[in-house]
Amino acid sequence: SQKIEQNSEALNIQEGKTATLTCNYTNYSPAYLQWYRQDPGRGPVFLLLIRENEKEKRKERLKVTFDTTLKQSLFHITASQPADSATYLCALWMDSSYKLIFGSGTRLLVRP
Amino acid sequence: GAVVSQHPSWVICKSGTSVKIECRSLDFQATTMFWYRQFPKQSLMLMATSNEGSKATYEQGVEKDKFLINHASLTLSTLTVTSAHPEDSSFYICSARDRQVLGSYEQYFGPGTRLTVT
């Protein structure tokens, strides 16, 4: 079956540390992968997109890696801040079906 | 730029009534809009894809006669939940893609609508 897995348990880290979130998928061949941030009671906000032929993408304190062999993406937030506390969703875009498929998200808590 | 609004942000209705949710792209034109629903602590589940001027494409298991989608213009799509039941209570989120940006795969999401059916 097709699955997108993100850690269901919250990630709790100290301010200033690097947060690393994982997204694993099976039985998908995505054209690209996206990461979104979602705050409680709000819609997702786009953060980064990485294509299947890219290994790494950076934007300010954010870094995403994409390994299509392992079928895994890692999302890093360096120098984390309490304001980074939110749920982070990974999503796969499927060219074959013209759909964005979401993982269930990982909640990040950054302690001051 | 690239703002998507939804109205209302929350609604409470009685069982058996219908509710309409609007999704607007405020500063861009969207050929395609998507409707999702999200239950607490769960993922966003795609309900349907709507293209301006044509019928929506519904995901498997989503009743098209219950969740009516109309994409009347390049900036407006509506979702009507007909004969709502308590199990329809959820967080409904729309998203849109900018038709002007070639090769753009970014989707812009609305703030969501919380529907509670009593």
Side-chain angles (χ1 to χ4, degrees), chain A residues 32 34 38 99 102-103, chain B residues 38 43 59 97 105-106 109:
Chain A
Y32 56 90
Q34 299 183 353
Q38 187 175 26
K99 292 181 202 178
F102 280 87
Chain B
Q38 185 177 34
S43 181
E59 293 301 299
R97 291 178 65 168
Y105 298 101
E106 194 172 319
F109 284 80

Side-chain angles (χ1 to χ4, degrees), chain A residues 32 34 36 38 41-44 46 49 51 93 98-100 102-104, chain B residues 32 34 36 38 43-44 46 59 91 93 97 103 105-107 109-111:
Chain A
Y32 56 90
Q34 299 183 353
Y36 288 81
Q38 187 175 26
R42 307 292 294 174
F46 172 80
L49 176 155
R51 298 176 193 277
W93 174 260
Y98 204 72
K99 292 181 202 178
L100 195 60
F102 280 87
S104 55
Chain B
T32 306
F34 304 87
Y36 296 83
Q38 185 177 34
S43 181
L44 279 76
L46 181 65
E59 293 301 299
F91 193 49
I93 309 172
R97 291 178 65 168
Y105 298 101
E106 194 172 319
Q107 284 190 28
F109 284 80

Side-chain angles (χ1 to χ4, degrees), chain A residues 23 26 77:
Chain A
C23 176
T26 55
I77 305 175

Side-chain angles (χ1 to χ4, degrees), chain B residues 8-20:
Chain B
S9 54
W10 61 270
V11 58
I12 300 172
C13 71
K14 291 189 176 179
S15 191
T17 61
S18 295
V19 174
K20 181 185 282 189

Side-chain angles (χ1 to χ4, degrees), chain B residues 61-106:
Chain B
V62 177
E63 300 175 59
K64 61 181 180 182
D65 293 331
K66 181 170 184 59
F67 298 100
L68 300 178
I69 291 172
N70 184 281
H71 194 154
S73 75
L74 286 171
T75 59
L76 174 65
S77 176
T78 60
L79 167 69
T80 301
V81 183
T82 62
S83 187
H85 288 119
E87 57 265 32
D88 298 326
S89 299
S90 188
F91 193 49
Y92 292 86
I93 309 172
C94 71
S95 71
R97 291 178 65 168
D98 188 343
R99 74 190 289 257
Q100 299 294 339
V101 183
L102 291 178
S104 170
Y105 298 101
E106 194 172 319

Side-chain angles (χ1 to χ4, degrees), chain A:
Chain A
S1 64
Q2 296 174 317
K3 284 192 297 186
I4 304 173
E5 292 182 331
Q6 294 185 256
N7 280 353
S8 57
E9 290 186 17
L11 178 62
N12 201 322
I13 65 169
Q14 185 71 43
E15 179 177 10
K17 301 291 186 185
T18 296
T20 299
L21 287 71
T22 305
C23 176
N24 293 294
Y25 60 93
T26 55
N27 296 327
Y28 283 113
S29 296
Y32 56 90
L33 185 147
Q34 299 183 353
W35 283 88
Y36 288 81
R37 168 183 173 140
Q38 187 175 26
D39 291 286
R42 307 292 294 174
V45 174
F46 172 80
L47 297 175
L48 277 172
L49 176 155
I50 187 163
R51 298 176 193 277
E52 58 179 336
N53 59 352
E54 296 175 317
K55 294 268 190 244
E56 184 179 296
K57 209 72 167 293
R58 290 175 187 260
K59 180 182 175 183
E60 297 173 353
R61 293 185 297 113
L62 309 180
K63 184 178 87 171
V64 172
T65 63
F66 192 13
D67 188 325
T68 54
T69 302
L70 289 179
K71 294 187 182 293
Q72 181 183 77
S73 175
L74 298 179
F75 177 77
H76 306 273
I77 305 175
T78 58
S80 61
Q81 304 166 2
D84 295 327
S85 299
T87 295
Y88 291 86
L89 305 165
C90 79
L92 309 182
W93 174 260
M94 310 303 298
D95 264 350
S96 56
S97 56
Y98 204 72
K99 292 181 202 178
L100 195 60
I101 312 294
F102 280 87
S104 55
T106 298
R107 188 163 171 237
L108 173 66
L109 293 169
V110 182
R111 302 189 308 275

